[in-house]
Amino acid sequence: MCECLFVYICSPATDWRPVQGLTNRILNVSSHRLFLLDGFGDLGALRSVLFLSFFFHFVVSLSATSLLLLVVVSNQSLHSPMYLLMASMAAVDLSLPLFFVPDMLLNFLLGRRSISLIGCLLQMHLLHFLGALQSTLLVWMALDRYFAICTPLSYHQQMAPRRFSRFVVPLVLRNAVMVSLLVGLAGMLRFCGNVIQHCFCEHMALVELSCGPTSTNSLLGLLALAFIPVTNFLLIFASYVLIFGSVPRSGRAGVRALHTRVTHLLVMLVSLAVVLVAFLSYQIRTSLPVSCRVFFSSMYLLLPSCFNPIIYGLKLHKNCPKFFKICPKWLKKFSKNFQNYTKLSQNYRNLSKK
């Protein structure tokens, strides 16, 4: 029987098309380099409603963060470490939606869904790094308040750039290494499918398309969750425990300084709530609709960018009237320059006609 099988296989009349088709399917497993983003694909015509909702959040985020940055930059009295950290948070909140919301809106409106593997990994790296930088900035702001309340005499020495860099450099390197490992390991996978059930390149949404085992990716994702957001919130919690313990000894000055950080507590609670909802949405994905999971993970990136500048704007409400007094002067100068330009252009036209 073995001899007959050998003769059949070696026979030139043997039909190799089924074997070639199987070989092509095996080779195509590793050939997916173009993906389709299919977030909220099951909603159909309701995607237009989502377009309006996300466009509104996008406009609010851009306008609020731009205004907050302009207020801090235009006022010399706000060039202190606390307000510079606020401006840094606003810069992150301004840049984070730019990397995924425009493509999401084009997807809703025009059906533009394709993205290459390199573009997907680049977007994933930028989004995860900036998201980690958001929570890391909260740690630095908590340290700023700890030095201001617990050690007010040495506050300026502790917040000097050289001394404060010992808290900045290790955390930034931690974020860069963890995110690079997470994205690099995801890029080494072989993908059986090319339809990402998401509006942008989210890590778990891409890993789910892998043909092989993804236990290493899941373990690295848990480690990244533990080392970045969980560790950051533990550091923030520890700093506020120390701050609350030192307020009775510092008197009214400590109470006033603590009142100024109520906005920071609000931002921390909002960020923590959104992170937990986004994480739990993937853990209960068997019973939760895909659209709800995509919505929560999208809000994880977009919601803090909308609320952070509004909450921090409460701290700047005393400086906003000064800013809005400056704005009319700028508008008057712009209108005068524009009128002079129109007069000069009109005179030039009249001379050219003559």
Side-chain angles (χ1 to χ4, degrees):
M1 183 176 179
C2 293
E3 293 177 358
C4 296
L5 182 61
F6 177 77
V7 172
Y8 174 75
I9 292 176
C10 296
S11 175
T14 304
D15 189 4
W16 290 97
R17 285 177 296 180
V19 180
Q20 289 177 354
L22 179 61
T23 305
N24 291 334
R25 285 196 296 270
I26 294 174
L27 292 176
N28 285 334
V29 167
S30 60
S31 64
H32 284 299
R33 291 296 181 266
L34 187 65
F35 296 90
L36 298 177
L37 298 173
D38 194 27
F40 303 107
D42 55 341
L43 296 182
L46 294 177
R47 289 161 62 90
S48 59
V49 180
L50 290 175
F51 172 82
L52 296 175
S53 175
F54 280 101
F55 180 75
F56 173 76
H57 284 86
F58 183 59
V59 171
V60 170
S61 175
L62 291 183
S63 58
T65 51
S66 300
L67 181 61
L68 182 60
L69 279 172
L70 193 56
V71 169
V72 175
V73 171
S74 60
N75 286 271
Q76 293 290 334
S77 60
L78 300 181
H79 292 179
S80 61
M82 180 178 65
Y83 292 106
L84 291 178
L85 288 173
M86 284 187 185
S88 301
M89 178 68 81
V92 174
D93 293 336
L94 180 64
S95 58
L96 185 59
L98 293 176
F99 290 115
F100 75 99
V101 176
D103 289 337
M104 183 190 301
L105 296 178
L106 290 176
N107 186 0
F108 291 156
L109 192 63
L110 303 177
R112 178 183 173 183
R113 304 189 301 166
S114 62
I115 186 171
S116 64
L117 178 61
I118 300 298
C120 182
L121 295 176
L122 180 61
Q123 186 188 53
M124 185 190 304
H125 191 280
L126 290 172
L127 292 180
H128 283 77
F129 182 77
L130 290 176
L133 190 58
Q134 273 186 333
S135 62
T136 306
L137 275 166
L138 293 176
V139 175
W140 296 333
M141 296 172 78
L143 287 173
D144 171 78
R145 289 301 88 198
Y146 170 77
F147 292 138
I149 296 174
C150 298
T151 59
L153 297 179
S154 61
Y155 170 75
H156 294 286
Q157 297 177 357
Q158 296 290 344
M159 294 303 296
R162 289 187 177 180
R163 300 197 65 175
F164 195 70
S165 62
R166 60 184 176 177
F167 303 107
V168 174
V169 175
L171 295 182
V172 172
L173 290 177
R174 176 205 62 179
N175 296 346
V177 170
M178 293 301 299
V179 172
S180 299
L181 288 175
L182 197 70
V183 176
L185 194 60
M188 296 172 62
L189 296 174
R190 295 189 306 170
F191 303 102
C192 292
N194 65 338
V195 179
I196 302 176
Q197 298 292 332
H198 215 291
C199 296
F200 54 88
C201 284
E202 205 273 337
H203 175 254
M204 287 305 300
L206 180 64
V207 169
E208 288 177 347
L209 301 178
S210 175
C211 304
T214 59
S215 57
T216 305
N217 300 82
S218 301
L219 179 60
L220 188 59
L222 290 176
L223 290 176
L225 182 68
F227 278 110
I228 298 179
V230 174
T231 303
N232 288 345
F233 284 116
L234 289 177
L235 292 174
I236 294 171
F237 179 77
S239 67
Y240 274 99
V241 169
L242 296 175
I243 289 173
F244 280 116
S246 65
V247 165
R249 299 193 301 269
S250 57
R252 294 183 178 180
V255 174
R256 287 196 300 267
L258 186 61
H259 286 170
T260 62
R261 300 318 299 159
V262 173
T263 55
H264 186 213
L265 289 174
L266 291 175
V267 172
M268 185 184 68
L269 291 175
V270 170
S271 301
L272 180 59
V274 176
V275 167
L276 290 177
V277 170
F279 176 73
L280 292 176
S281 65
Y282 275 99
Q283 300 303 314
I284 58 176
R285 60 181 180 271
T286 55
S287 59
L288 194 68
V290 178
S291 298
C292 294
R293 180 156 48 98
V294 174
F295 177 78
F296 284 133
S297 56
S298 301
M299 287 295 103
Y300 159 66
L301 295 177
L302 188 58
L303 196 62
S305 299
C306 294
F307 279 95
N308 281 346
I310 295 175
I311 294 175
Y312 287 131
L314 298 176
K315 172 62 183 171
L316 299 174
H317 70 281
K318 294 182 180 179
N319 302 91
C320 287
K322 297 180 181 179
F323 172 74
F324 287 112
K325 288 179 181 178
I326 298 174
C327 285
K329 296 180 180 179
W330 293 346
L331 292 175
K332 288 180 181 178
K333 290 182 180 179
F334 176 78
S335 61
K336 288 182 180 179
N337 293 331
F338 183 75
Q339 289 177 1
N340 293 332
Y341 173 77
T342 53
K343 289 180 180 178
L344 290 174
S345 61
Q346 186 65 31
N347 293 333
Y348 177 77
R349 290 177 183 177
N350 295 332
L351 291 174
S352 61
K353 289 180 181 180
K354 293 179 181 180

